[in-house]
Amino acid sequence: MACFLVSAAEAVVVSAVNRRMELTKAQEKHTEEVEVVKIPVSVKLKWLTRMLTGGSFLLAFEHVWHGEVTAWFPFLTAMSSAADRAEMFKEMATVGVGMAILITAVWGAVCVAADAIIKRSSSETKIESERS
Amino acid sequence: MTLLITVYAAIAVTLIWYFKQDHSLRLGVLCFMYWGAAIMWLVDAIFEYADMGSEYFEPSAKEMLNDSFLGLSVVALGLVIWLIILLIKDPKGTVRDSLKRQAK
């Protein structure tokens, strides 16, 4: 009904946080140079934003396909009656929140794996440079 | 069917991204978009399965056809979005060069 709205809302929040972090980072860059090789949090947040935004957009298309989203106010057919509204909110609270949680969990796993790969490759480079 | 088609599209794009190693194609955007949608449809499928039981795996031919069309349309829409992003970002400068040539 409108489950994609939960992920879309999370995408907006994450995107705003990321923008704020990038601005702060740009200011900090002038004051100090960081030599540690690791993936910045802003890059990781960009991955999450892309998954949430892309997924929500494609799911919104599915809802248009099924006639659940309209081009006129209130844009959702489920908003027409109180019973449909209650069902919509229930779906958002269960399926919508479930989608947002799983995407965030998968993103968390990807971030851990990415950090491990970077750590492994930089330690391998260190060993090679020590040998030579 | 929509979930399956999206998962196959996500796997195909991820493999192309891995073996191609051409970052100017911006395939990462497409990867994240398809994987995001696939995860969201997976959750939807889990809830539907919990609601319908084994009946979920026995869709009618009409439902399957409609879902297949939807899946293919979703893949096409994803490709169109990726193409628009690629043309706007123009990492190889092809669009810019072409426009400059026509402006002369």
Side-chain angles (χ1 to χ4, degrees), chain A residues 47-81:
Chain A
W47 299 345
L48 179 61
T49 311
R50 282 177 181 167
M51 273 208 282
L52 289 167
T53 317
S56 304
F57 191 81
L58 294 181
L59 246 79
F61 175 73
E62 187 225 334
H63 287 71
V64 174
W65 181 282
H66 288 132
E68 292 168 354
V69 177
T70 54
W72 52 89
F73 190 79
F75 307 110
L76 298 163
T77 49
M79 292 292 277
S80 56
S81 72

PDB file of all heavy atoms in Angstrom, chain A residues 47-81:
ATOM      1  N   TRP A  47      26.204   4.732   0.053  1.00  0.00           N
ATOM      2  CA  TRP A  47      25.752   3.392  -0.365  1.00  0.00           C
ATOM      3  C   TRP A  47      24.340   3.136   0.161  1.00  0.00           C
ATOM      4  O   TRP A  47      23.473   2.670  -0.568  1.00  0.00           O
ATOM      5  CB  TRP A  47      26.675   2.298   0.174  1.00  0.00           C
ATOM      6  CG  TRP A  47      28.094   2.362  -0.279  1.00  0.00           C
ATOM      7  CD1 TRP A  47      28.602   3.099  -1.325  1.00  0.00           C
ATOM      8  CD2 TRP A  47      29.216   1.669   0.281  1.00  0.00           C
ATOM      9  NE1 TRP A  47      29.945   2.908  -1.432  1.00  0.00           N
ATOM     10  CE2 TRP A  47      30.356   2.031  -0.467  1.00  0.00           C
ATOM     11  CE3 TRP A  47      29.367   0.786   1.332  1.00  0.00           C
ATOM     12  CZ2 TRP A  47      31.627   1.540  -0.192  1.00  0.00           C
ATOM     13  CZ3 TRP A  47      30.627   0.278   1.614  1.00  0.00           C
ATOM     14  CH2 TRP A  47      31.741   0.653   0.864  1.00  0.00           C
ATOM     15  N   LEU A  48      24.150   3.465   1.455  1.00  0.00           N
ATOM     16  CA  LEU A  48      22.830   3.233   2.073  1.00  0.00           C
ATOM     17  C   LEU A  48      21.759   4.095   1.402  1.00  0.00           C
ATOM     18  O   LEU A  48      20.661   3.611   1.103  1.00  0.00           O
ATOM     19  CB  LEU A  48      22.904   3.541   3.580  1.00  0.00           C
ATOM     20  CG  LEU A  48      21.617   3.368   4.388  1.00  0.00           C
ATOM     21  CD1 LEU A  48      21.115   1.933   4.339  1.00  0.00           C
ATOM     22  CD2 LEU A  48      21.814   3.785   5.842  1.00  0.00           C
ATOM     23  N   THR A  49      22.113   5.345   1.139  1.00  0.00           N
ATOM     24  CA  THR A  49      21.152   6.249   0.487  1.00  0.00           C
ATOM     25  C   THR A  49      20.755   5.716  -0.887  1.00  0.00           C
ATOM     26  O   THR A  49      19.581   5.738  -1.252  1.00  0.00           O
ATOM     27  CB  THR A  49      21.770   7.657   0.326  1.00  0.00           C
ATOM     28  OG1 THR A  49      22.320   8.047   1.562  1.00  0.00           O
ATOM     29  CG2 THR A  49      20.743   8.667  -0.122  1.00  0.00           C
ATOM     30  N   ARG A  50      21.747   5.222  -1.628  1.00  0.00           N
ATOM     31  CA  ARG A  50      21.456   4.689  -2.968  1.00  0.00           C
ATOM     32  C   ARG A  50      20.548   3.467  -2.915  1.00  0.00           C
ATOM     33  O   ARG A  50      19.648   3.322  -3.732  1.00  0.00           O
ATOM     34  CB  ARG A  50      22.759   4.353  -3.697  1.00  0.00           C
ATOM     35  CG  ARG A  50      23.432   5.593  -4.241  1.00  0.00           C
ATOM     36  CD  ARG A  50      24.735   5.267  -4.882  1.00  0.00           C
ATOM     37  NE  ARG A  50      25.381   6.490  -5.373  1.00  0.00           N
ATOM     38  CZ  ARG A  50      26.636   6.553  -5.759  1.00  0.00           C
ATOM     39  NH1 ARG A  50      27.394   5.480  -5.730  1.00  0.00           N
ATOM     40  NH2 ARG A  50      27.141   7.680  -6.192  1.00  0.00           N
ATOM     41  N   MET A  51      20.802   2.590  -1.948  1.00  0.00           N
ATOM     42  CA  MET A  51      19.954   1.389  -1.815  1.00  0.00           C
ATOM     43  C   MET A  51      18.524   1.776  -1.432  1.00  0.00           C
ATOM     44  O   MET A  51      17.558   1.269  -1.999  1.00  0.00           O
ATOM     45  CB  MET A  51      20.535   0.432  -0.768  1.00  0.00           C
ATOM     46  CG  MET A  51      21.551  -0.512  -1.333  1.00  0.00           C
ATOM     47  SD  MET A  51      21.638  -2.058  -0.422  1.00  0.00           S
ATOM     48  CE  MET A  51      22.572  -1.569   0.992  1.00  0.00           C
ATOM     49  N   LEU A  52      18.416   2.694  -0.468  1.00  0.00           N
ATOM     50  CA  LEU A  52      17.082   3.099   0.015  1.00  0.00           C
ATOM     51  C   LEU A  52      16.319   3.882  -1.055  1.00  0.00           C
ATOM     52  O   LEU A  52      15.144   3.605  -1.326  1.00  0.00           O
ATOM     53  CB  LEU A  52      17.213   3.949   1.278  1.00  0.00           C
ATOM     54  CG  LEU A  52      17.644   3.230   2.564  1.00  0.00           C
ATOM     55  CD1 LEU A  52      18.045   4.236   3.624  1.00  0.00           C
ATOM     56  CD2 LEU A  52      16.533   2.341   3.088  1.00  0.00           C
ATOM     57  N   THR A  53      17.003   4.848  -1.679  1.00  0.00           N
ATOM     58  CA  THR A  53      16.329   5.678  -2.692  1.00  0.00           C
ATOM     59  C   THR A  53      15.940   4.844  -3.911  1.00  0.00           C
ATOM     60  O   THR A  53      14.805   4.910  -4.380  1.00  0.00           O
ATOM     61  CB  THR A  53      17.248   6.838  -3.137  1.00  0.00           C
ATOM     62  OG1 THR A  53      17.858   7.392  -1.992  1.00  0.00           O
ATOM     63  CG2 THR A  53      16.488   7.904  -3.882  1.00  0.00           C
ATOM     64  N   GLY A  54      16.904   4.065  -4.418  1.00  0.00           N
ATOM     65  CA  GLY A  54      16.646   3.232  -5.597  1.00  0.00           C
ATOM     66  C   GLY A  54      15.539   2.228  -5.349  1.00  0.00           C
ATOM     67  O   GLY A  54      14.607   2.088  -6.139  1.00  0.00           O
ATOM     68  N   GLY A  55      15.632   1.542  -4.194  1.00  0.00           N
ATOM     69  CA  GLY A  55      14.618   0.547  -3.843  1.00  0.00           C
ATOM     70  C   GLY A  55      13.242   1.168  -3.695  1.00  0.00           C
ATOM     71  O   GLY A  55      12.254   0.650  -4.212  1.00  0.00           O
ATOM     72  N   SER A  56      13.188   2.312  -2.988  1.00  0.00           N
ATOM     73  CA  SER A  56      11.897   2.993  -2.778  1.00  0.00           C
ATOM     74  C   SER A  56      11.300   3.440  -4.111  1.00  0.00           C
ATOM     75  O   SER A  56      10.089   3.324  -4.328  1.00  0.00           O
ATOM     76  CB  SER A  56      12.067   4.225  -1.894  1.00  0.00           C
ATOM     77  OG  SER A  56      12.644   3.892  -0.702  1.00  0.00           O
ATOM     78  N   PHE A  57      12.159   3.951  -5.000  1.00  0.00           N
ATOM     79  CA  PHE A  57      11.657   4.436  -6.290  1.00  0.00           C
ATOM     80  C   PHE A  57      11.067   3.285  -7.117  1.00  0.00           C
ATOM     81  O   PHE A  57       9.972   3.414  -7.681  1.00  0.00           O
ATOM     82  CB  PHE A  57      12.789   5.130  -7.062  1.00  0.00           C
ATOM     83  CG  PHE A  57      12.304   5.871  -8.269  1.00  0.00           C
ATOM     84  CD1 PHE A  57      11.751   7.142  -8.139  1.00  0.00           C
ATOM     85  CD2 PHE A  57      12.368   5.298  -9.526  1.00  0.00           C
ATOM     86  CE1 PHE A  57      11.278   7.818  -9.248  1.00  0.00           C
ATOM     87  CE2 PHE A  57      11.897   5.973 -10.643  1.00  0.00           C
ATOM     88  CZ  PHE A  57      11.351   7.234 -10.497  1.00  0.00           C
ATOM     89  N   LEU A  58      11.781   2.172  -7.155  1.00  0.00           N
ATOM     90  CA  LEU A  58      11.291   1.033  -7.939  1.00  0.00           C
ATOM     91  C   LEU A  58      10.029   0.429  -7.310  1.00  0.00           C
ATOM     92  O   LEU A  58       9.122  -0.012  -8.016  1.00  0.00           O
ATOM     93  CB  LEU A  58      12.389  -0.020  -8.114  1.00  0.00           C
ATOM     94  CG  LEU A  58      13.602   0.430  -8.953  1.00  0.00           C
ATOM     95  CD1 LEU A  58      14.618  -0.686  -9.079  1.00  0.00           C
ATOM     96  CD2 LEU A  58      13.195   0.901 -10.341  1.00  0.00           C
ATOM     97  N   LEU A  59       9.963   0.447  -5.982  1.00  0.00           N
ATOM     98  CA  LEU A  59       8.754  -0.047  -5.308  1.00  0.00           C
ATOM     99  C   LEU A  59       7.571   0.908  -5.503  1.00  0.00           C
ATOM    100  O   LEU A  59       6.429   0.464  -5.632  1.00  0.00           O
ATOM    101  CB  LEU A  59       9.007  -0.281  -3.821  1.00  0.00           C
ATOM    102  CG  LEU A  59       8.903  -1.758  -3.444  1.00  0.00           C
ATOM    103  CD1 LEU A  59      10.184  -2.478  -3.824  1.00  0.00           C
ATOM    104  CD2 LEU A  59       8.609  -1.949  -1.986  1.00  0.00           C
ATOM    105  N   ALA A  60       7.881   2.211  -5.558  1.00  0.00           N
ATOM    106  CA  ALA A  60       6.828   3.193  -5.826  1.00  0.00           C
ATOM    107  C   ALA A  60       6.226   2.942  -7.213  1.00  0.00           C
ATOM    108  O   ALA A  60       5.011   3.032  -7.407  1.00  0.00           O
ATOM    109  CB  ALA A  60       7.394   4.606  -5.745  1.00  0.00           C
ATOM    110  N   PHE A  61       7.100   2.559  -8.168  1.00  0.00           N
ATOM    111  CA  PHE A  61       6.635   2.228  -9.517  1.00  0.00           C
ATOM    112  C   PHE A  61       5.685   1.022  -9.473  1.00  0.00           C
ATOM    113  O   PHE A  61       4.655   0.998 -10.161  1.00  0.00           O
ATOM    114  CB  PHE A  61       7.833   1.951 -10.427  1.00  0.00           C
ATOM    115  CG  PHE A  61       7.456   1.481 -11.806  1.00  0.00           C
ATOM    116  CD1 PHE A  61       6.910   2.357 -12.726  1.00  0.00           C
ATOM    117  CD2 PHE A  61       7.628   0.155 -12.178  1.00  0.00           C
ATOM    118  CE1 PHE A  61       6.540   1.922 -13.992  1.00  0.00           C
ATOM    119  CE2 PHE A  61       7.274  -0.292 -13.436  1.00  0.00           C
ATOM    120  CZ  PHE A  61       6.730   0.597 -14.344  1.00  0.00           C
ATOM    121  N   GLU A  62       6.041   0.039  -8.633  1.00  0.00           N
ATOM    122  CA  GLU A  62       5.182  -1.150  -8.483  1.00  0.00           C
ATOM    123  C   GLU A  62       3.801  -0.740  -7.961  1.00  0.00           C
ATOM    124  O   GLU A  62       2.776  -1.272  -8.396  1.00  0.00           O
ATOM    125  CB  GLU A  62       5.833  -2.149  -7.527  1.00  0.00           C
ATOM    126  CG  GLU A  62       5.101  -3.477  -7.451  1.00  0.00           C
ATOM    127  CD  GLU A  62       4.916  -3.993  -6.046  1.00  0.00           C
ATOM    128  OE1 GLU A  62       5.709  -3.663  -5.163  1.00  0.00           O
ATOM    129  OE2 GLU A  62       3.943  -4.729  -5.835  1.00  0.00           O
ATOM    130  N   HIS A  63       3.786   0.209  -7.020  1.00  0.00           N
ATOM    131  CA  HIS A  63       2.514   0.671  -6.445  1.00  0.00           C
ATOM    132  C   HIS A  63       1.700   1.449  -7.476  1.00  0.00           C
ATOM    133  O   HIS A  63       0.473   1.369  -7.477  1.00  0.00           O
ATOM    134  CB  HIS A  63       2.767   1.501  -5.187  1.00  0.00           C
ATOM    135  CG  HIS A  63       3.187   0.663  -4.007  1.00  0.00           C
ATOM    136  ND1 HIS A  63       4.411   0.054  -3.933  1.00  0.00           N
ATOM    137  CD2 HIS A  63       2.527   0.322  -2.870  1.00  0.00           C
ATOM    138  CE1 HIS A  63       4.490  -0.625  -2.800  1.00  0.00           C
ATOM    139  NE2 HIS A  63       3.364  -0.479  -2.134  1.00  0.00           N
ATOM    140  N   VAL A  64       2.384   2.179  -8.354  1.00  0.00           N
ATOM    141  CA  VAL A  64       1.686   2.872  -9.443  1.00  0.00           C
ATOM    142  C   VAL A  64       1.080   1.830 -10.386  1.00  0.00           C
ATOM    143  O   VAL A  64      -0.060   1.943 -10.817  1.00  0.00           O
ATOM    144  CB  VAL A  64       2.659   3.810 -10.217  1.00  0.00           C
ATOM    145  CG1 VAL A  64       1.981   4.406 -11.437  1.00  0.00           C
ATOM    146  CG2 VAL A  64       3.165   4.922  -9.307  1.00  0.00           C
ATOM    147  N   TRP A  65       1.869   0.791 -10.665  1.00  0.00           N
ATOM    148  CA  TRP A  65       1.449  -0.319 -11.549  1.00  0.00           C
ATOM    149  C   TRP A  65       0.160  -0.959 -11.022  1.00  0.00           C
ATOM    150  O   TRP A  65      -0.740  -1.296 -11.782  1.00  0.00           O
ATOM    151  CB  TRP A  65       2.591  -1.339 -11.600  1.00  0.00           C
ATOM    152  CG  TRP A  65       2.371  -2.536 -12.476  1.00  0.00           C
ATOM    153  CD1 TRP A  65       1.615  -3.628 -12.176  1.00  0.00           C
ATOM    154  CD2 TRP A  65       2.929  -2.772 -13.773  1.00  0.00           C
ATOM    155  NE1 TRP A  65       1.680  -4.540 -13.194  1.00  0.00           N
ATOM    156  CE2 TRP A  65       2.477  -4.043 -14.195  1.00  0.00           C
ATOM    157  CE3 TRP A  65       3.775  -2.065 -14.613  1.00  0.00           C
ATOM    158  CZ2 TRP A  65       2.836  -4.593 -15.407  1.00  0.00           C
ATOM    159  CZ3 TRP A  65       4.133  -2.616 -15.823  1.00  0.00           C
ATOM    160  CH2 TRP A  65       3.663  -3.854 -16.217  1.00  0.00           C
ATOM    161  N   HIS A  66       0.089  -1.143  -9.710  1.00  0.00           N
ATOM    162  CA  HIS A  66      -1.081  -1.782  -9.090  1.00  0.00           C
ATOM    163  C   HIS A  66      -2.201  -0.790  -8.763  1.00  0.00           C
ATOM    164  O   HIS A  66      -3.188  -1.154  -8.124  1.00  0.00           O
ATOM    165  CB  HIS A  66      -0.666  -2.530  -7.811  1.00  0.00           C
ATOM    166  CG  HIS A  66       0.119  -3.774  -8.105  1.00  0.00           C
ATOM    167  ND1 HIS A  66       1.298  -4.075  -7.454  1.00  0.00           N
ATOM    168  CD2 HIS A  66      -0.074  -4.777  -8.999  1.00  0.00           C
ATOM    169  CE1 HIS A  66       1.766  -5.228  -7.927  1.00  0.00           C
ATOM    170  NE2 HIS A  66       0.954  -5.671  -8.860  1.00  0.00           N
ATOM    171  N   GLY A  67      -2.024   0.457  -9.156  1.00  0.00           N
ATOM    172  CA  GLY A  67      -3.069   1.468  -8.963  1.00  0.00           C
ATOM    173  C   GLY A  67      -3.224   1.939  -7.529  1.00  0.00           C
ATOM    174  O   GLY A  67      -4.287   2.436  -7.146  1.00  0.00           O
ATOM    175  N   GLU A  68      -2.164   1.794  -6.717  1.00  0.00           N
ATOM    176  CA  GLU A  68      -2.241   2.208  -5.309  1.00  0.00           C
ATOM    177  C   GLU A  68      -1.748   3.641  -5.099  1.00  0.00           C
ATOM    178  O   GLU A  68      -1.975   4.229  -4.052  1.00  0.00           O
ATOM    179  CB  GLU A  68      -1.432   1.241  -4.429  1.00  0.00           C
ATOM    180  CG  GLU A  68      -2.065  -0.146  -4.372  1.00  0.00           C
ATOM    181  CD  GLU A  68      -1.150  -1.200  -3.769  1.00  0.00           C
ATOM    182  OE1 GLU A  68       0.019  -0.904  -3.496  1.00  0.00           O
ATOM    183  OE2 GLU A  68      -1.619  -2.337  -3.592  1.00  0.00           O
ATOM    184  N   VAL A  69      -1.032   4.159  -6.094  1.00  0.00           N
ATOM    185  CA  VAL A  69      -0.551   5.547  -6.042  1.00  0.00           C
ATOM    186  C   VAL A  69      -1.196   6.310  -7.194  1.00  0.00           C
ATOM    187  O   VAL A  69      -1.239   5.810  -8.319  1.00  0.00           O
ATOM    188  CB  VAL A  69       1.001   5.605  -6.151  1.00  0.00           C
ATOM    189  CG1 VAL A  69       1.494   7.051  -6.176  1.00  0.00           C
ATOM    190  CG2 VAL A  69       1.647   4.856  -4.995  1.00  0.00           C
ATOM    191  N   THR A  70      -1.711   7.490  -6.888  1.00  0.00           N
ATOM    192  CA  THR A  70      -2.349   8.300  -7.930  1.00  0.00           C
ATOM    193  C   THR A  70      -1.600   9.628  -8.117  1.00  0.00           C
ATOM    194  O   THR A  70      -0.800  10.016  -7.254  1.00  0.00           O
ATOM    195  CB  THR A  70      -3.815   8.610  -7.560  1.00  0.00           C
ATOM    196  OG1 THR A  70      -3.831   9.214  -6.263  1.00  0.00           O
ATOM    197  CG2 THR A  70      -4.667   7.369  -7.560  1.00  0.00           C
ATOM    198  N   ALA A  71      -1.889  10.310  -9.210  1.00  0.00           N
ATOM    199  CA  ALA A  71      -1.208  11.577  -9.502  1.00  0.00           C
ATOM    200  C   ALA A  71      -1.873  12.757  -8.790  1.00  0.00           C
ATOM    201  O   ALA A  71      -1.360  13.860  -8.811  1.00  0.00           O
ATOM    202  CB  ALA A  71      -1.197  11.807 -11.009  1.00  0.00           C
ATOM    203  N   TRP A  72      -3.038  12.538  -8.186  1.00  0.00           N
ATOM    204  CA  TRP A  72      -3.762  13.617  -7.518  1.00  0.00           C
ATOM    205  C   TRP A  72      -3.836  13.375  -6.003  1.00  0.00           C
ATOM    206  O   TRP A  72      -3.659  12.250  -5.540  1.00  0.00           O
ATOM    207  CB  TRP A  72      -5.179  13.756  -8.104  1.00  0.00           C
ATOM    208  CG  TRP A  72      -5.933  12.461  -8.129  1.00  0.00           C
ATOM    209  CD1 TRP A  72      -6.715  11.949  -7.152  1.00  0.00           C
ATOM    210  CD2 TRP A  72      -5.943  11.495  -9.188  1.00  0.00           C
ATOM    211  NE1 TRP A  72      -7.216  10.732  -7.518  1.00  0.00           N
ATOM    212  CE2 TRP A  72      -6.764  10.431  -8.765  1.00  0.00           C
ATOM    213  CE3 TRP A  72      -5.324  11.419 -10.454  1.00  0.00           C
ATOM    214  CZ2 TRP A  72      -6.985   9.314  -9.564  1.00  0.00           C
ATOM    215  CZ3 TRP A  72      -5.553  10.307 -11.247  1.00  0.00           C
ATOM    216  CH2 TRP A  72      -6.378   9.268 -10.791  1.00  0.00           C
ATOM    217  N   PHE A  73      -4.091  14.471  -5.269  1.00  0.00           N
ATOM    218  CA  PHE A  73      -4.163  14.414  -3.810  1.00  0.00           C
ATOM    219  C   PHE A  73      -5.242  13.429  -3.348  1.00  0.00           C
ATOM    220  O   PHE A  73      -6.299  13.395  -3.951  1.00  0.00           O
ATOM    221  CB  PHE A  73      -4.456  15.823  -3.256  1.00  0.00           C
ATOM    222  CG  PHE A  73      -4.312  15.927  -1.778  1.00  0.00           C
ATOM    223  CD1 PHE A  73      -3.068  16.046  -1.184  1.00  0.00           C
ATOM    224  CD2 PHE A  73      -5.438  15.884  -0.956  1.00  0.00           C
ATOM    225  CE1 PHE A  73      -2.940  16.127   0.191  1.00  0.00           C
ATOM    226  CE2 PHE A  73      -5.317  15.964   0.424  1.00  0.00           C
ATOM    227  CZ  PHE A  73      -4.057  16.086   0.988  1.00  0.00           C
ATOM    228  N   PRO A  74      -5.078  12.618  -2.346  1.00  0.00           N
ATOM    229  CA  PRO A  74      -3.917  12.477  -1.439  1.00  0.00           C
ATOM    230  C   PRO A  74      -2.844  11.503  -1.930  1.00  0.00           C
ATOM    231  O   PRO A  74      -2.046  11.032  -1.121  1.00  0.00           O
ATOM    232  CB  PRO A  74      -4.558  11.993  -0.149  1.00  0.00           C
ATOM    233  CG  PRO A  74      -5.736  11.194  -0.582  1.00  0.00           C
ATOM    234  CD  PRO A  74      -6.209  11.772  -1.880  1.00  0.00           C
ATOM    235  N   PHE A  75      -2.799  11.234  -3.215  1.00  0.00           N
ATOM    236  CA  PHE A  75      -1.760  10.425  -3.888  1.00  0.00           C
ATOM    237  C   PHE A  75      -1.780   8.929  -3.564  1.00  0.00           C
ATOM    238  O   PHE A  75      -1.153   8.147  -4.260  1.00  0.00           O
ATOM    239  CB  PHE A  75      -0.353  10.985  -3.631  1.00  0.00           C
ATOM    240  CG  PHE A  75      -0.247  12.452  -3.965  1.00  0.00           C
ATOM    241  CD1 PHE A  75      -0.103  13.402  -2.966  1.00  0.00           C
ATOM    242  CD2 PHE A  75      -0.324  12.884  -5.279  1.00  0.00           C
ATOM    243  CE1 PHE A  75      -0.034  14.755  -3.262  1.00  0.00           C
ATOM    244  CE2 PHE A  75      -0.258  14.236  -5.588  1.00  0.00           C
ATOM    245  CZ  PHE A  75      -0.110  15.168  -4.583  1.00  0.00           C
ATOM    246  N   LEU A  76      -2.454   8.550  -2.491  1.00  0.00           N
ATOM    247  CA  LEU A  76      -2.557   7.120  -2.142  1.00  0.00           C
ATOM    248  C   LEU A  76      -4.039   6.735  -2.098  1.00  0.00           C
ATOM    249  O   LEU A  76      -4.817   7.379  -1.376  1.00  0.00           O
ATOM    250  CB  LEU A  76      -1.918   6.844  -0.780  1.00  0.00           C
ATOM    251  CG  LEU A  76      -0.413   7.129  -0.665  1.00  0.00           C
ATOM    252  CD1 LEU A  76       0.006   7.222   0.798  1.00  0.00           C
ATOM    253  CD2 LEU A  76       0.405   6.053  -1.351  1.00  0.00           C
ATOM    254  N   THR A  77      -4.410   5.692  -2.810  1.00  0.00           N
ATOM    255  CA  THR A  77      -5.820   5.284  -2.839  1.00  0.00           C
ATOM    256  C   THR A  77      -6.298   4.794  -1.463  1.00  0.00           C
ATOM    257  O   THR A  77      -7.480   4.880  -1.152  1.00  0.00           O
ATOM    258  CB  THR A  77      -6.045   4.170  -3.883  1.00  0.00           C
ATOM    259  OG1 THR A  77      -5.061   3.166  -3.681  1.00  0.00           O
ATOM    260  CG2 THR A  77      -5.970   4.694  -5.297  1.00  0.00           C
ATOM    261  N   ALA A  78      -5.337   4.311  -0.662  1.00  0.00           N
ATOM    262  CA  ALA A  78      -5.682   3.808   0.682  1.00  0.00           C
ATOM    263  C   ALA A  78      -6.119   4.924   1.627  1.00  0.00           C
ATOM    264  O   ALA A  78      -6.653   4.643   2.707  1.00  0.00           O
ATOM    265  CB  ALA A  78      -4.498   3.061   1.269  1.00  0.00           C
ATOM    266  N   MET A  79      -5.901   6.171   1.244  1.00  0.00           N
ATOM    267  CA  MET A  79      -6.269   7.295   2.116  1.00  0.00           C
ATOM    268  C   MET A  79      -7.761   7.632   2.019  1.00  0.00           C
ATOM    269  O   MET A  79      -8.257   8.481   2.757  1.00  0.00           O
ATOM    270  CB  MET A  79      -5.449   8.544   1.751  1.00  0.00           C
ATOM    271  CG  MET A  79      -3.971   8.434   2.058  1.00  0.00           C
ATOM    272  SD  MET A  79      -3.593   8.378   3.790  1.00  0.00           S
ATOM    273  CE  MET A  79      -3.611  10.113   4.194  1.00  0.00           C
ATOM    274  N   SER A  80      -8.471   6.946   1.113  1.00  0.00           N
ATOM    275  CA  SER A  80      -9.874   7.305   0.862  1.00  0.00           C
ATOM    276  C   SER A  80     -10.827   6.935   2.008  1.00  0.00           C
ATOM    277  O   SER A  80     -11.808   7.619   2.245  1.00  0.00           O
ATOM    278  CB  SER A  80     -10.342   6.657  -0.441  1.00  0.00           C
ATOM    279  OG  SER A  80     -10.141   5.281  -0.366  1.00  0.00           O
ATOM    280  N   SER A  81     -10.539   5.839   2.708  1.00  0.00           N
ATOM    281  CA  SER A  81     -11.425   5.455   3.821  1.00  0.00           C
ATOM    282  C   SER A  81     -10.618   5.148   5.089  1.00  0.00           C
ATOM    283  O   SER A  81      -9.425   4.824   5.006  1.00  0.00           O
ATOM    284  CB  SER A  81     -12.260   4.229   3.444  1.00  0.00           C
ATOM    285  OG  SER A  81     -11.451   3.088   3.424  1.00  0.00           O
TER     286      SER A  81
END
